[in-house]
Structure formats: structure tokens, C-alpha cells
Amino acid sequence: MKTTRKCRALLAVSLNLVALFFSTTAFITTYWCEGTQRVPKPNCSKDRKHNCINYSGNDTSQNKVHYSWETGDDRFLFRHFHTGIWYSCEENINGGGEKCRSFFDLAPASERGVLWLSVVSEVLYIMLLVVGFSLMCLELFHSSNVIDGLKLNAFAAVFTVLSGLLGMVAHMMYTQVFQVTVSLGPEDWRPHTWDYGWSFCLAWGSFTCCMAASVTTLNSYTKTVIEFRHKRKMFEQGLREEQTFIDQEAFNYFRDRSVQSVSSSVEVFPGPAGSSGGKALVPRGSMDMGEIRESLGEEQC
């Protein structure tokens, strides 16, 4: 039983560690959502010959009207962007690299409170995962007493379940804020196409591992309690059977002793000829003839 309990505890610790790693990675990265943004093409210059608008003629004076024969989506560039809880980064079309903006500045004012709640829930989620992981490790490596191990197991399961619920709420709140920002955010940021990124997958993978760890911990606690109850029941049943056997032996012993005591204090004598029985049981103490004469004399007087 001890080996099986250790294996279940090791599995729960492993799942909790994976959940903690996934959640921390998702929290600090900026790939929750990614896609493309449609922006107007910049004017062509000496340094930029491609993906730009080339006006007819070489005169670039602002006093003249310039024409471009590009229409529809040909007038726009589609730059890549990716967004996380803290920042949103998009491709820099005027140079290399990326430029990032705070996602709190991009979110509508009506959704910033929900975004802050999402951040607080994510932090609490990670903190409770750390607490649950610590309790599981303490129960696995430093608990020699089974009762203390069960207590640590129960607390670890409670903290892990609470962390999973907080993580689920945090992920859902962030998803809601991002979808509102897509519709009501700044014009120069609104995505043309977007989808969920690998950070979002890590966040929900962390939630899955967290709930699996809590279920494994609760299963370990329940199985251990059931095994102890079964062993206690078997012990009590064996104790009752042993007590019944001892009581039966004691009863037989005292019964035999009482029979021997009675038989040793009684003698059998032949009865009178006219009596119906052939023998009579007479106690030894009643055979004193002197006492019989004295009693007869008293009766005659």
C-alpha cells in the first residue's frame, strides 16, 4: 500500500509541476493571441522600394496631386502581431524588429477593471499552485507518519482545486477583454485576422494539468482512507471472533470446574428396598451419626 501511495503522490507532484511551468510561461509571454493587422502602405523612397506606394511621376511636391493605380487590398500591408496579458507587439513596417505597446492602454476603459481582475486571478493561480506543490513535496519526501501524510494530502488537494478554479476564471476574463478590444480598440491596432496562440494553449494546458493533479491527490486521499477503514474493520472483526473464542473457552473451563466441584462433594448410596429409586444422593456432611441422635432426641422431647 505504501508503494502505491508513493506512486500516486509522485504523479500528482509531476502534474502540479507541469501546471506551474505552463502557467508561469503563459503569464510572462505575449502569444496569447496572434494574427495580422491591415495598415496602409508607406510611400516609396530611396531606401524602400518594395511594399510601398509608388506614385506616378518623379515629382513628389506636395502641391501636386499624385495618383496610385493600386486598389483594394493592394493599398495595404498585412503586418503580423501577437498579444499577451501585458503587451501587444506588432511588426515595424518602417524598419526592422517589433514595436510593443501596453495592452492596458489598448483595452477600452470599460474593460480595464476586468483585465486587472484577470491579472490578479492569474497571480493567485500561480501562488496557489506553488503552495499545493510545496505541500505535495512535503507529503512525499518528509512525511513518515501516515496520518500526517493524509492531512497534507487533503490540504494540497484543496489548494490545487482552488488554484484551478481561479485559473479558469482568469483565462475566461482575459479572453473576454481581448474580444472586446478587437471590436472597440484603437483603429491602428484592430486585427484584420487573429487566432489564439501557443501561450493561450499553455494556459489551458496548465489548467488541465492542475485539475488532473487535484483529482489524483483526492483519489490518493480517498483510497488511503478506504484502505485504512477496511483494515480497521478486518481488525475489529478478528478481535470480536477472538474474544468470542476466548469467552467460549472460559465458559467451558468454569463449567467443567463447577461440575467437578459438585461431584466431589456428593456420594451415592443405595436407597431403601421399598423406595422407587435404587440409589440416593446423600451429602457427606449429613452422615454424622452423633448429630442425627441429637436431632432425634430433641424431637422426642
Side-chain angles (χ1 to χ4, degrees), residues 228-244:
F228 269 99
R229 287 181 178 177
H230 178 70
K231 286 192 172 183
R232 180 180 178 183
K233 182 179 179 181
M234 296 300 295
F235 174 76
E236 291 178 352
Q237 184 178 357
L239 189 63
R240 286 196 298 268
E241 291 177 355
E242 184 179 356
Q243 185 68 29
T244 304

Side-chain angles (χ1 to χ4, degrees), residues 1-18 132-143 146 148-150 152-154 156-157 160 209 212-224:
M1 182 188 73
K2 186 175 180 180
T3 305
T4 307
R5 188 166 62 88
K6 287 286 186 181
C7 293
R8 291 196 295 261
L10 185 61
L11 177 60
V13 169
S14 303
L15 288 172
N16 196 300
L17 182 60
V18 172
F133 177 75
S134 302
L135 291 175
M136 289 179 186
C137 291
L138 190 64
E139 187 261 336
L140 181 61
F141 298 109
H142 299 285
S143 178
V146 179
D148 293 339
L150 281 176
L152 291 173
N153 206 313
T160 309
C209 292
S214 63
V215 170
T216 305
T217 307
L218 287 174
N219 180 264
S220 176
Y221 174 82
T222 305
K223 281 190 174 182
T224 306

Side-chain angles (χ1 to χ4, degrees), residues 62-231:
Q62 296 180 356
N63 297 324
K64 294 183 178 180
V65 178
H66 301 280
Y67 297 96
S68 174
W69 301 104
E70 294 180 345
T71 59
D73 289 339
D74 293 335
R75 297 178 297 137
F76 298 95
L77 284 177
F78 295 92
R79 64 182 180 185
H80 180 75
F81 82 99
H82 52 91
T83 304
I85 294 179
W86 300 102
Y87 295 101
S88 176
C89 299
E90 57 260 7
E91 182 184 357
N92 188 3
I93 60 176
N94 295 320
E98 294 179 339
K99 61 178 182 179
C100 299
R101 290 181 283 181
S102 173
F103 188 69
F104 288 88
D105 296 335
L106 298 174
S110 60
E111 299 296 322
R112 289 174 185 171
V114 180
L115 184 58
W116 276 113
L117 284 177
S118 174
V119 172
V120 172
S121 299
E122 287 285 350
V123 173
L124 291 176
Y125 170 50
I126 295 175
M127 290 177 62
L128 289 177
L129 277 178
V130 172
V131 173
F133 177 75
S134 302
L135 291 175
M136 289 179 186
C137 291
L138 190 64
E139 187 261 336
L140 181 61
F141 298 109
H142 299 285
S143 178
S144 58
N145 191 350
V146 179
I147 302 301
D148 293 339
L150 281 176
K151 293 179 181 178
L152 291 173
N153 206 313
F155 280 110
V158 170
F159 280 109
T160 309
V161 170
L162 289 178
S163 65
L165 294 177
L166 280 173
M168 179 184 66
V169 172
H171 303 342
M172 294 176 66
M173 285 192 295
Y174 176 79
T175 304
Q176 175 190 351
V177 172
F178 180 81
Q179 291 176 354
V180 174
T181 307
V182 168
S183 302
L184 303 178
E187 290 285 345
D188 62 338
W189 179 86
R190 293 181 187 177
H192 179 66
T193 59
W194 65 275
D195 200 355
Y196 297 108
W198 57 267
S199 296
F200 185 83
C201 296
L202 281 183
W204 283 105
S206 170
F207 167 75
T208 304
C209 292
C210 174
M211 298 309 294
S214 63
V215 170
T216 305
T217 307
L218 287 174
N219 180 264
S220 176
Y221 174 82
T222 305
K223 281 190 174 182
T224 306
V225 170
I226 290 175
E227 288 173 358
F228 269 99
R229 287 181 178 177
H230 178 70
K231 286 192 172 183

Side-chain angles (χ1 to χ4, degrees), residues 28-44:
I28 62 178
T29 53
T30 58
Y31 286 88
W32 283 66
C33 300
E34 53 186 338
T36 58
Q37 296 169 333
R38 191 173 68 171
V39 295
K41 287 182 179 180
N43 297 333
C44 293

